[in-house]
Amino acid sequence: MKKYKFNIFTVMLLLSGFLMTGCDDNMPVVKEVAVASISLKEELIGGLTIKTGETADISWKVNVLPENATDRAESYYSSDPEVATVNAKGKISANKEGTCDITIAVGGKSITFVLQVVDKIIVPATEITLSITTLDLMVDNEFNLIPQIRTVPLEANDGFVFTSSAPGVVSVSEDGLLRGVANGTADITVASKKDVSIKAVLTVTVTTFSGDYPRSGWSMTASHELFKTATDDEKNSLSSALDGDVATNFCLVRPGKKYGTAPSVEVTSGEAIYFIVDMQKQQAVNYFRIRHRNTTQAFVRWYSFDEISGSNDGVNFEPIASNVVVTDAAVAAQQESPNISFPKSTYRYIKFYAQSANCFYQSSYSSQGSSVQIQELYLGVNP
């Protein structure tokens, strides 16, 4: 009998060859399936809109056919990186306002959608209503329509278009400010900028106003502090000339005088004093009227004003009239002046300015008071 000797290396080599041959014979053959087509998922159909500085994830936002396609890796491209960039993971970064094309490629197929980068996302109104449907407006008066507008949804921000059926009766600005122009009636339409068929209508009747304006809500400012006396007989305040209360008075220390207690108020000689009436809105005025404190103290009245001026911002004033005399102010028995006319003007703020001595001084009175006082002040318009 012959004896055979095998070393361990030879045995292992033979076994590995046998095993490898067996594995190769049993391994499945993988067939590559090509991508036939790709399409955008619903959220990208019609494009995408995002705000400047924001990001969006567009990975796996395409449908791939056939479903068993083997190469499903996505690649992304932007036609204008200044507007928006997109990284290898499908994250879009919006850089500046504008429009660009974003392309998604899969397995040799590609598809593109439009990306719009905006400063704000527009939410269109689906309904517009007004809290009022009719309005009475006076000639030369204004009315802000914006606070009366209601939208559905509440966050709608596509803006409004305003039109007037009769601009010669009621004009309307692009900001919704109505102005009465002439007597008559006009329809004001408020429509969505995105869809003008979504609208509401306000009917405005314009009439000519005549007389004193209601003073509710009016306020007053003055050039100097208001004095107080120990007994406070005047009940001096900035609202006194507008409150309709004949027991109160608006009083200023006149130039060259010192008056009041704890502390007193002093106005240097030659210095100007003034007061400003805020009517809260622009309206036409062409007269004022003063009710003096009483029929016995004519020496504390205003006799004239160096200038009456108007403003719509409370800072920049334009002259309306100069050297305006308060009619019959020196006649003590006449407590209330007649209407004192000046050129018709449309302002919110009316300023009464005085510096010269004749505004406070009358030679017919031996005693000239330390203050000038008004019990009531009226502003109005006559046709």
Side-chain angles (χ1 to χ4, degrees):
M1 180 183 291
K2 292 183 178 179
K3 294 182 179 180
Y4 297 94
K5 295 182 179 179
F6 297 92
N7 61 39
I8 191 68
F9 174 78
T10 303
V11 172
M12 290 182 67
L13 184 63
L14 291 171
L15 286 172
S16 65
F18 172 77
L19 291 172
M20 288 179 67
T21 302
C23 288
D24 285 342
D25 291 342
N26 293 299
M27 282 183 66
V29 177
V30 177
K31 294 182 179 180
E32 291 202 5
V33 179
V35 174
S37 66
I38 62 174
S39 61
L40 294 171
K41 290 191 175 179
E42 186 177 353
E43 54 262 51
L44 293 183
I45 295 175
L48 180 65
T49 300
I50 60 176
K51 290 175 64 175
T52 304
E54 292 187 348
T55 61
D57 185 359
I58 61 167
S59 61
W60 314 115
K61 294 293 192 296
V62 292
N63 303 303
V64 179
L65 292 177
E67 293 183 356
N68 63 340
T70 51
D71 183 6
R72 305 179 73 86
E74 296 182 349
S75 300
Y76 313 94
Y77 309 93
S78 170
S79 67
D80 190 346
E82 288 191 1
V83 173
T85 56
V86 56
N87 67 15
K89 294 182 178 180
K91 179 182 177 181
I92 293 176
S93 297
N95 300 323
K96 73 172 188 178
E97 193 173 16
T99 301
C100 66
D101 292 333
I102 300 296
T103 300
I104 303 175
V106 181
K109 305 294 182 181
S110 64
I111 194 165
T112 299
F113 67 88
V114 176
L115 174 72
Q116 186 173 14
V117 179
V118 296
D119 285 335
K120 70 174 183 178
I121 300 295
I122 299 298
V123 180
T126 58
E127 183 181 348
I128 294 176
T129 58
L130 294 168
S131 59
I132 57 174
T133 56
T134 61
L135 173 69
D136 292 328
L137 189 65
M138 293 177 289
V139 172
D140 292 328
N141 277 13
E142 296 180 336
F143 182 83
N144 184 5
L145 192 54
I146 293 293
Q148 312 302 323
I149 301 174
R150 306 290 182 266
T151 63
V152 176
L154 289 175
E155 64 272 19
N157 61 359
D158 51 327
F160 306 112
V161 177
F162 300 92
T163 55
S164 171
S165 65
V169 174
V170 183
S171 65
V172 59
S173 73
E174 61 181 12
D175 299 318
L177 188 65
L178 309 182
R179 184 178 182 82
V181 179
N183 288 359
T185 300
D187 287 335
I188 304 299
T189 300
V190 186
S192 163
K193 275 187 177 179
K194 195 168 183 66
D195 183 354
V196 293
S197 68
I198 298 171
K199 60 187 177 181
V201 178
L202 173 70
T203 300
V204 183
T205 301
V206 180
T207 56
T208 301
F209 176 82
S210 178
D212 298 343
Y213 284 118
R215 297 175 296 168
S216 176
W218 288 16
S219 62
M220 185 183 287
T221 55
S223 57
H224 293 75
E225 291 185 48
L226 306 189
F227 68 83
K228 293 289 184 182
T229 60
T231 57
D232 194 22
D233 292 338
E234 297 85 359
K235 295 183 175 59
N236 189 9
S237 74
L238 287 170
S239 61
S240 291
L242 305 172
D243 62 7
D245 185 351
V246 296
T248 63
N249 300 278
F250 164 64
C251 316
L252 283 175
V253 174
R254 51 176 279 189
K257 296 290 185 177
K258 181 178 181 180
Y259 194 63
T261 58
S264 59
V265 177
E266 182 175 7
V267 179
T268 306
S269 180
E271 190 176 353
I273 63 174
Y274 61 83
F275 58 90
I276 300 171
V277 178
D278 179 2
M279 300 185 291
Q280 301 301 315
K281 63 181 179 180
Q282 297 179 35
Q283 51 193 3
V285 290
N286 66 357
Y287 75 79
F288 72 95
R289 186 172 72 258
I290 290 178
R291 178 181 172 88
H292 304 294
R293 178 173 181 174
N294 51 42
T295 58
T296 60
Q297 295 173 296
F299 55 87
V300 295
R301 294 179 177 180
W302 292 87
Y303 298 118
S304 65
F305 295 97
D306 290 324
E307 183 178 272
I308 297 177
S309 55
S311 170
N312 286 321
D313 61 10
V315 177
N316 302 293
F317 284 83
E318 300 175 350
I320 297 174
S322 58
N323 300 319
V324 180
V325 175
V326 179
T327 307
D328 294 333
V331 180
Q334 185 161 321
Q335 186 173 3
E336 188 165 304
S337 75
N339 290 344
I340 300 164
S341 299
F342 53 80
K344 186 177 182 181
S345 304
T346 302
Y347 292 107
R348 170 176 171 171
Y349 302 88
I350 304 296
K351 181 177 182 178
F352 294 81
Y353 175 95
Q355 183 180 27
S356 57
N358 63 335
C359 294
F360 324 101
Y361 174 79
Q362 281 289 316
S363 59
S364 56
Y365 294 103
S366 58
S367 173
Q368 303 297 321
S370 297
S371 65
V372 282
Q373 306 184 6
I374 296 175
Q375 190 175 91
E376 294 294 325
L377 176 72
Y378 307 93
L379 287 166
V381 62
N382 284 323

